[in-house]
Amino acid sequence: MALDLSKVGEREKLKARREPHWQRLRAGCFLGYRPSKRGGRGTWIARAYDEDKGKYRVKSLGDFGSLAGNEMFAAAKKEAERLADIVEA
């Protein structure tokens, strides 16, 4: 079963760990979420595959703390897709 980070309830159930929980957005483009060990909001991470270098480029996106829980995914997804577009260009 695929992870759905767009659902606040599913994100809240995730265990804190160093490696983010990844959701595939499209081929070579992933959005990750790392829950906070101290409670509170977790951190969003973008990962995009760079074919020229043969490896992934990773970028921390922050916690989007100013947004409501249901708006965080949309904002993080937009940033992850922006990173993928830059890497693919």
Side-chain angles (χ1 to χ4, degrees):
M1 184 173 144
L3 177 65
D4 187 0
L5 295 174
S6 67
K7 297 182 179 174
V8 176
E10 281 199 38
R11 290 196 308 262
E12 290 175 350
K13 292 178 189 175
L14 297 173
K15 293 184 180 182
R17 62 182 193 186
R18 183 168 173 7
E19 178 66 19
H21 299 271
W22 294 105
Q23 178 177 335
R24 181 177 186 259
L25 300 177
R26 65 177 193 239
C29 178
F30 295 84
L31 179 60
Y33 181 74
R34 183 183 300 136
S36 174
K37 290 183 179 182
R38 300 177 188 147
R41 300 186 184 245
T43 304
W44 294 91
I45 299 99
R47 180 174 81 179
Y49 188 72
D50 187 338
E51 288 191 26
D52 295 335
K53 295 184 179 180
K55 62 181 182 178
Y56 283 97
R57 287 186 44 190
V58 179
K59 179 181 179 186
S60 177
L61 303 175
D63 66 359
F64 295 98
S66 62
L67 300 176
N70 58 349
E71 297 172 345
M72 288 179 187
F73 177 80
K77 180 180 179 212
K78 186 175 181 180
E79 290 298 316
E81 290 174 334
R82 185 176 301 156
L83 173 68
D85 290 343
I86 291 169
V87 170
E88 291 169 359

